[in-house]
Amino acid sequence: EPDRETLRMAQFAEVLSRKLPSDAIIFDEALTNSPAITRYIPPRQAGHYFVTRGGSLGVGFPGAIGVKLANPDKVVIGISGDGGSMYTIQALWSAIRHKSGAKFIVCNNGSYKLLQLNIDVYWKERNIDKHDYPLPFDLSYPAIRFDLLAQSMGVKAVRVEKESEILPAIEKMLADDEPFLIDLVLE
């Protein structure tokens, strides 16, 4: 659905898939956004797609740094949700400090979307009427500016809020072998 007011991961992943080198490595902790990633960037080579199995959060960014240090000649991108990335956001500082050229994408939807989906199922199974989510499931206030957090730790970053910003952001991210973060604002 082009020209939507709010972005979906599929719009971003489709453009990213056209720009990535064929030997790029993805560390996927996007969880609710993972289906769009694997639709457009399907795992095709052993050792080029890493994923968290759930049960813990925060492995996406430090995992990408480790994979990049082990594969310095490859493009490595860690993709995490906003909630998961908050567990280990200091990894951005480590990427600069250890001269890791890992790239980072935050799927910023202002919530713990996976927890919301899980509690919806829980309430339905127990015949509990749907009601407001618990406050800890909401990351929208105050709004987290991951681009500014990254910049404060020395990582170049941009915020993407519109479809027209996707391609320029990806091109900036892939322009060199230095850490870079895209704060991808999703619906």
Side-chain angles (χ1 to χ4, degrees):
E1 297 176 50
D3 302 320
R4 292 172 43 92
E5 270 196 43
T6 56
L7 290 176
R8 290 190 178 177
M9 186 60 182
Q11 292 167 282
F12 183 87
E14 190 273 328
V15 177
L16 180 61
S17 72
R18 288 187 274 123
K19 292 306 210 173
L20 277 180
S22 62
D23 64 347
I25 301 173
I26 302 293
F27 198 112
D28 178 2
E29 188 190 27
L31 302 175
T32 56
N33 286 293
S34 293
I37 295 166
T38 57
R39 175 181 177 194
Y40 290 100
I41 309 167
R44 294 199 170 135
Q45 292 178 296
H48 283 73
Y49 180 79
F50 295 85
V51 63
T52 180
R53 296 308 248 174
S56 64
L57 290 173
V59 70
F61 289 178
I65 293 169
V67 171
K68 177 64 177 177
L69 292 172
N71 297 275
D73 58 326
K74 304 239 187 285
V75 171
V76 177
I77 302 175
I79 307 171
S80 182
D82 45 4
S85 68
M86 284 297 288
Y87 281 81
T88 55
I89 197 69
Q90 68 276 13
L92 299 176
W93 181 82
S94 297
I96 290 292
R97 187 149 175 104
H98 296 286
K99 297 179 175 35
S100 162
K103 314 298 183 186
F104 310 98
I105 299 167
V106 177
C107 303
N108 187 351
N109 62 14
S111 70
Y112 280 105
K113 189 67 173 173
L114 186 62
L115 297 181
Q116 291 174 351
L117 295 172
N118 287 342
I119 205 166
D120 284 343
V121 171
Y122 176 85
W123 288 339
K124 185 176 181 181
E125 288 173 348
R126 285 156 184 77
N127 295 317
I128 298 170
D129 291 336
K130 188 170 172 70
H131 55 280
D132 289 342
Y133 296 113
L135 182 61
F137 289 21
D138 179 14
L139 298 173
S140 67
Y141 178 79
I144 302 170
R145 290 289 306 259
F146 290 94
D147 57 329
L148 300 178
L149 282 171
Q151 291 168 10
S152 76
M153 291 184 254
V155 173
K156 294 182 282 184
V158 296
R159 186 170 172 95
V160 172
E161 298 176 282
K162 295 184 265 180
E163 188 173 28
S164 62
E165 298 168 339
I166 293 173
L167 180 59
I170 290 170
E171 289 174 340
K172 281 183 187 175
M173 177 178 71
L174 298 175
D176 58 37
D177 193 36
E178 293 183 18
F180 194 96
L181 179 134
I182 294 177
D183 183 358
L184 180 61
V185 180
L186 299 172
E187 64 176 341

